[in-house]
Amino acid sequence: MFEYLGQPRWWVEILLIWAIYSAYSRVRNIGGKDVDRAFGNGRSIAEIERHLHIAFEPVLNRWVHVNGWVADLSALHYHTLHWWVTIGVFVWLFWRRRERYRRASLVLAVTTLIALAGFFLIPTAPPRMYPGYVDIMAQTASWGWWEGSGSPGPESVTNQFAAMPSLHCGWAIWCGVMIAMYARRTWVRVLGVLYPISTGFVVIGTANHYALDVIAIAVVIAVAMAIVYVPWRQAAEAVARKLAVSGRSVA
């Protein structure tokens, strides 16, 4: 069984991805009912950022708004690359880096699960819902194919308060890390590094996330990488050997 799981089959992977995404969508979208708490958390995050002197979201959002071409590109980036780059990296890892695929996919799964927990524990109204911000996705929805909020699904069933941490940036960071780790060409690795940086700019510039949302998901990614990539078994065996040696020396 373990040998089978270690050799991914494409049809099994498609079924697993579909099942995980369906569960993710259902769990994510049943949240977002505690409006007062979500707005309170958003104000708290903004206050923390002011104390840390990193509350640059209003300035960036206004700059994106007044530069129409930046707003248009940001909207396209936000609603398009999030899906297609992630899918593309998944397929690339499966077909070209099969020996790396299992751990890489586990990192994304762990990241998504931790983010889901964050959505429930810390429902957060994004900046675009507060006075002083311009909702760039609503601004561009007149010509785009997305909802006014930029939601991937109908606004009536989408959790608008799933902002902390930024899973949008989480998936982008995962893509960038995997490309930087496993791509052979230097220019491809450079693009991999630039992609999550541009995503961070876009989610903040469109007023969909706070800077702390992005920082939080970066920490989540680091935790997921540690869980999946650190050789826990070898570390546990080393500790057991040391304990055994200590026990014999005491005896």
Side-chain angles (χ1 to χ4, degrees):
M1 177 179 179
F2 291 107
E3 182 180 355
Y4 179 78
L5 291 175
Q7 295 295 325
R9 271 63 172 177
W10 67 268
W11 57 274
V12 174
E13 296 306 308
I14 290 176
L15 289 175
L16 287 174
I17 292 170
W18 175 82
I20 292 172
Y21 179 74
S22 298
Y24 156 75
S25 297
R26 179 168 298 183
V27 172
R28 181 183 187 274
N29 293 342
I30 63 175
K33 304 296 190 297
D34 196 342
V35 176
D36 291 338
R37 186 182 173 200
F39 275 91
N41 287 336
R43 286 189 290 270
S44 297
I45 290 173
E47 185 64 25
I48 292 172
E49 290 191 349
R50 281 192 288 272
H51 284 296
L52 296 175
H53 303 290
I54 59 172
F56 60 86
E57 295 93 343
V59 174
L60 182 59
N61 176 241
R62 285 194 294 271
W63 185 80
V64 171
H65 168 59
V66 299
N67 290 276
W69 66 275
V70 179
D72 293 346
L73 289 177
S74 296
L76 285 171
H77 187 304
Y78 184 87
H79 205 271
T80 305
L81 298 187
H82 176 58
W83 302 109
W84 294 112
V85 174
T86 305
I87 292 171
V89 172
F90 245 109
V91 173
W92 168 67
L93 286 169
F94 184 85
W95 290 109
R96 303 299 298 271
R97 297 290 183 272
R98 185 74 62 90
E99 73 283 1
R100 312 293 187 183
Y101 172 83
R102 179 58 66 213
R103 284 189 172 184
S105 61
L106 282 175
V107 169
L108 190 62
V110 172
T111 298
T112 302
L113 291 174
I114 296 176
L116 275 177
F119 298 158
F120 275 101
L121 296 174
I122 317 173
T124 303
R128 60 183 169 78
M129 293 185 174
Y130 293 90
Y133 288 93
V134 178
D135 189 340
I136 301 300
M137 301 306 295
Q139 172 185 328
T140 56
S142 59
W143 59 266
W145 58 89
W146 45 83
E147 299 276 359
S149 64
S151 301
E155 293 182 2
S156 59
V157 297
T158 297
N159 180 5
Q160 298 296 320
F161 303 136
M164 169 58 83
S166 171
L167 194 56
H168 211 102
C169 277
W171 287 10
I173 294 172
W174 176 82
C175 290
V177 170
M178 294 304 124
I179 292 172
M181 288 175 62
Y182 301 132
R184 292 196 177 98
R185 293 179 174 85
T186 301
W187 67 269
V188 176
R189 292 199 298 272
V190 170
L191 288 178
V193 172
L194 291 177
Y195 173 56
I197 294 174
S198 67
T199 302
F201 170 87
V202 164
V203 300
I204 296 173
T206 58
N208 277 287
H209 287 284
Y210 295 97
L212 279 180
D213 298 342
V214 178
I215 294 171
I217 199 63
V219 173
V220 169
I221 285 279
V223 171
M225 293 285 290
I227 291 173
V228 174
Y229 281 92
V230 169
W232 295 104
R233 181 177 176 182
Q234 291 88 329
E237 290 175 349
V239 171
R241 286 194 296 270
K242 289 182 178 179
L243 291 174
V245 171
S246 299
R248 285 196 297 269
S249 62
V250 171

